[in-house]
Amino acid sequence: MSMILERPNVANPVPTLPATLYRDPAQFERERQAIFTKEWLLYGRSDQLAKPGDYLALTIVGYPVVVVRQKDGTLKGFHNVCRHRAAALAQNPEGAFSGGMIRCPYHSWTYELNGCLNRSPGFGAEKGAIDPAQWSLFPISADEWRGLVFVRIATAGPTLVEWLGPIVPMAAQYPLQDQRFFMEKNQEVAIDWKVYGENYLECYHCPNMHPGLCESLDISKYTIDSYPEDGFFHLYGPKRDGGFTDGLYFYRFPFLMLNFYQWGSSIATVEPLGAGRLRHINWYLFSDLSPEKAEENRRSAEWSAQIVAEDMDMNVTVQRNLEIGVYDRGILSPKQERAVGAFQNMVRAAMPGLEG
């Protein structure tokens, strides 16, 4: 585990990535293949897959996929594509496959919950007419951690716990697995995923934009530590006297945000929809969902959502200006924006020759 702690060089500010990388469809497709397919991505919650046969069928970075709870309690993921004529196997965002089988609604090919072909009607004998090993579902990686479900399009790579790395022990004191879903706030906005990530990784803007956050946290003591070898950032803001909450945050590249508070958790991610477009997904979880706590929980979630809204409003203007052709590059504050520089270097490392 390696952390950036070097003394900032004020005399040599670092240039930003060029503006074209935030608006170019060809660049986005390269990111999709070089980054998004190779990293674990937040997908759902374990409570949505409570029983064997329960499934979630969503689109993640352009790929329709389905995750299924197995009979032994584990998860398996597949491309939501029948091997016969490419129909979607699961037609609804969530549900349950009846009878312990995945049945294609088009021509009734059936698959075991583990993706193995079971029956292919019309191919001679009812069962075994074609080789199941050659015609089973296309797999993806799926796993869960403390009540959160993740997928990775690539089937090879580090395990989920290996990918989370130091986040696992650093977050151990927070009872995430005991918290329950309370509400969510999702929205599609004209912002590139990199713009949103860079905004999250600096509090240079906080005094200007987040009065509610600054009333709660001592922004003068806000810290962001970068761990480039592990692909994550550790952010912390201590509580002011009389403030609403302290805040411990983790950002795992490319776009997982784990926000832990005294009152619960705000779990967020983005789904890139194209160059300059994303869907922001935010879940709010609490340990106590009793009716007596409902109003307090709502206020806590709305407090957090207000900070997100303030960032969104500003970053829509940033994205618009990145697209008009006037601005090409800026510079990063060596004191305030070192984590932004580390984030941009992770983008560069994933795609050698990016600015060549």
Side-chain angles (χ1 to χ4, degrees):
M1 183 170 67
S2 177
M3 180 174 68
I4 293 179
L5 287 174
E6 74 273 11
R7 187 181 302 276
N9 185 345
V10 178
N12 297 297
V14 176
T16 66
L17 292 171
T20 184
L21 299 185
Y22 300 82
R23 64 178 189 248
D24 179 15
Q27 164 66 14
F28 175 80
E29 184 57 30
R30 188 179 177 194
E31 292 169 348
R32 186 167 170 262
Q33 299 302 323
I35 299 176
F36 306 156
T37 64
K38 297 179 180 180
E39 302 284 355
W40 286 97
L41 306 175
L42 183 64
Y43 184 75
R45 303 186 312 277
S46 297
D47 61 23
Q48 296 174 288
L49 297 159
K51 303 183 300 297
D54 286 355
Y55 72 80
L56 283 176
L58 307 173
T59 299
I60 190 100
V61 295
Y63 294 92
V65 302
V66 58
V67 175
V68 186
R69 180 70 70 186
Q70 301 296 296
K71 294 176 182 177
D72 65 0
T74 62
L75 297 177
K76 287 192 179 296
F78 312 98
H79 290 275
N80 191 13
V81 179
C82 181
R83 294 298 307 277
H84 174 220
R85 293 266 299 281
L89 298 161
Q91 301 286 306
N92 300 312
E94 58 184 290
F97 292 117
S98 62
M101 290 288 172
I102 301 171
R103 182 181 299 276
C104 177
Y106 197 9
H107 299 100
S108 290
W109 278 37
T110 59
Y111 304 83
E112 307 284 348
L113 295 183
N114 64 8
C116 184
L117 178 65
N118 175 262
R119 293 180 61 227
S120 50
F123 284 78
E126 282 276 305
K127 187 173 182 179
I130 59 177
D131 184 2
Q134 296 296 317
W135 295 98
S136 294
L137 298 181
F138 297 115
I140 65 168
S141 301
D143 205 348
E144 56 193 331
W145 174 73
R146 300 184 68 183
L148 303 177
V149 175
F150 293 79
V151 299
R152 183 182 60 208
I153 300 302
T155 55
T159 67
L160 175 58
V161 168
E162 290 170 343
W163 181 83
L164 289 167
I167 292 175
V168 173
M170 293 173 76
Q173 63 178 308
Y174 289 86
L176 178 59
Q177 70 280 355
D178 298 326
Q179 296 172 0
R180 298 293 177 263
F181 175 76
F182 178 70
M183 63 181 289
E184 66 181 303
K185 286 183 176 290
N186 303 333
Q187 58 180 314
E188 294 186 15
V189 288
I191 300 172
D192 191 75
W193 70 275
K194 299 184 294 299
V195 169
Y196 193 81
E198 291 163 5
N199 173 87
Y200 188 91
L201 292 170
E202 51 95 349
C203 213
Y204 191 15
H205 69 279
C206 293
N208 289 336
M209 288 181 49
H210 300 312
L213 184 68
C214 293
E215 287 177 3
S216 184
L217 306 185
D218 186 348
I219 297 300
S220 68
K221 297 179 181 177
Y222 195 95
T223 60
I224 306 178
D225 297 325
S226 303
Y227 296 78
E229 292 181 3
D230 297 289
F232 92 102
F233 302 84
H234 176 216
L235 306 85
Y236 176 67
K239 180 180 177 180
R240 284 187 181 276
D241 289 342
F244 179 57
T245 183
D246 62 358
L248 176 64
Y249 316 116
F250 296 101
Y251 189 106
R252 180 55 169 94
F253 185 83
F255 34 66
L256 171 66
M257 291 156 276
L258 305 172
N259 309 308
F260 298 123
Y261 300 102
Q262 292 172 335
W263 45 263
S265 299
S266 166
I267 309 299
T269 189
V270 303
E271 181 187 355
L273 301 175
R277 295 189 302 115
L278 62 81
R279 177 182 295 110
H280 186 270
I281 301 164
N282 210 150
W283 305 327
Y284 298 94
L285 295 86
F286 296 91
S287 298
D288 186 350
L289 293 186
S290 65
E292 293 78 15
K293 295 286 288 185
E295 181 58 25
E296 181 180 338
N297 289 345
R298 187 195 63 78
R299 288 197 303 269
S300 297
E302 293 294 346
W303 174 85
S304 178
Q306 177 60 32
I307 298 167
V308 174
E310 291 161 355
D311 284 331
M312 290 292 190
D313 289 346
M314 180 59 71
N315 282 290
V316 165
T317 73
V318 171
Q319 183 66 40
R320 183 174 64 236
N321 285 336
L322 288 170
E323 294 180 356
I324 62 175
V326 174
Y327 174 101
D328 179 33
R329 288 180 185 257
I331 54 175
L332 300 175
S333 164
K335 180 179 179 181
Q336 299 281 2
E337 296 168 308
R338 282 182 292 161
V340 176
F343 174 90
Q344 294 189 350
N345 284 337
M346 290 176 193
V347 175
R348 292 183 176 101
M351 293 177 288
L354 185 64
E355 298 164 276

